[in-house]
């Protein structure tokens, strides 16, 4: 079976076309991600609700509700294979996700709106779930040099990932404000159990928290991740988020034709 190794702003995935196949996705996630050290595994399947179905698994074999950068990559994968056109609808565990091809490498997706947005789940820490059931995120500001301090933050972020305040566990996202509408991001990711170079839903959750606090001018957030820069756009009114978009780069790194 051919496997495509892709990344979106450094968030990397092993991807297969599983239509018409019976596969053990959890086992393949562990096996294939072990080859490249990828963050996750994705499979395209048939759908009666969208153009195709996305099955997403973390590198430890656990199933994930959705993945923002993964959704952008799977849109490119589906377009390149002729499964979908330049505008598409993806069925995910967190709900339907709309995607757009902007250029060969740039893709945009409409993330699920927050199903839960609790700005004070813990002191100074917001809890956001995108979708219903949603992808869980803890979001907190950091006043130091986030990337320089990365390793010293590991134990703190890992503890938050398992904190009982987050019953499903959480992806932990710290952000450093560079200027209004621009942040530096660091994510410790559930299921990967380590830092990842980017997290699309984490950036989206951060954008939602900032918007709710009136700290996102124009509703647009430029989020610098160690693997690349993502753009988040929040649309809403009267304290209600009505739409959330994620845009950024995708890359096909390598094909494994016979795994």
């Amino acid at each position: 079976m051919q496997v495509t190794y892709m990344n979106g702003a450094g968030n990397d995935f092993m991807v297969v076309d599983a239509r018409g196949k019976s596969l053990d996705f959890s086992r393949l996630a562990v096996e294939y991600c072990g080859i490249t050290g990828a963050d996750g595994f994705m499979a395209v399947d048939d759908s009666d609700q969208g153009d195709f179905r996305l099955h997403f698994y973390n590198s430890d074999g656990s199933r994930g509700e959705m993945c923002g950068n993964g959704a952008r990559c799977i849109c490119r994968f589906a377009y390149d294979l002729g499964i979908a056109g330049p505008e598409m609808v993806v069925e995910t565990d967190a709900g339907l996700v709309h995607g757009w091809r902007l250029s060969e490498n740039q893709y945009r997706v409409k993330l699920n709106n927050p199903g839960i947005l609790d700005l004070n789940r813990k002191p100074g820490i917001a809890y956001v779930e995108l979708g219903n059931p949603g992808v869980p995120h803890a979001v907190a500001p950091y006043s130091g040099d986030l990337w320089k301090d990365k390793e010293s933050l590991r134990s703190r972020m890992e503890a938050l990932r398992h904190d009982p305040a987050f019953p499903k566990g959480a992806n932990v996202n710290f952000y450093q404000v560079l200027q209004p509408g621009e942040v530096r991001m660091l994510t410790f990711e559930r299921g990967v159990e380590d830092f990842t170079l980017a997290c699309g839903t984490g950036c989206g959750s951060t954008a939602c928290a900032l918007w709710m606090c009136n700290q996102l001018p124009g509703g647009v957030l430029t989020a610098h991740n160690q693997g690349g820069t993502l753009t988040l756009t929040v649309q809403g009114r009267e304290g209600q988020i009505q739409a959330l978009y994620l845009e950024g780069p995708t890359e096909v790194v390598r094909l494994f034709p016979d795994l």
Side-chain angles (χ1 to χ4, degrees), residues 22 34 43 50 103-104 142 166 172 177 194 196 234 255:
S22 179
S103 67
E104 180 181 1
Y142 184 71
F166 315 122
V172 180
V177 176
D194 203 348
T196 52
V234 180
L255 298 179

Side-chain angles (χ1 to χ4, degrees), residues 1-7 11-18 23 28 32-33 36 38 40-44 52-56 69-78 81 83 251-252 254-256 259:
M1 180 169 58
Q2 178 166 291
V3 181
T4 303
Y5 179 39
M6 306 183 71
N7 86 71
N11 209 182
D12 55 349
F13 313 97
M14 300 291 271
V15 189
V16 301
D17 181 1
L23 301 172
L28 291 178
Y32 290 167
C33 291
T36 60
F41 167 85
M42 299 189 293
V44 166
F52 57 92
R53 177 84 162 89
L54 165 62
H55 300 284
F56 179 81
N69 287 319
R72 293 190 307 99
C73 286
I74 209 72
C75 286
R76 176 171 179 173
F77 180 82
L81 264 63
I83 298 170
E251 180 184 9
V252 175
R254 180 180 174 187
L255 298 179
F256 293 87
L259 289 182

Side-chain angles (χ1 to χ4, degrees), residues 126-165:
Y127 179 69
V128 183
E129 286 193 19
L130 299 182
N132 185 22
V135 184
H137 290 279
V139 177
Y142 184 71
S143 58
D145 188 325
L146 191 56
W147 294 350
K148 181 180 179 181
D149 297 345
K150 176 178 177 178
E151 285 306 320
S152 66
L153 291 169
R154 177 182 291 274
S155 60
R156 178 182 171 191
M157 296 179 76
E158 186 173 8
L160 283 172
R161 178 260 179 270
H162 297 283
D163 194 289

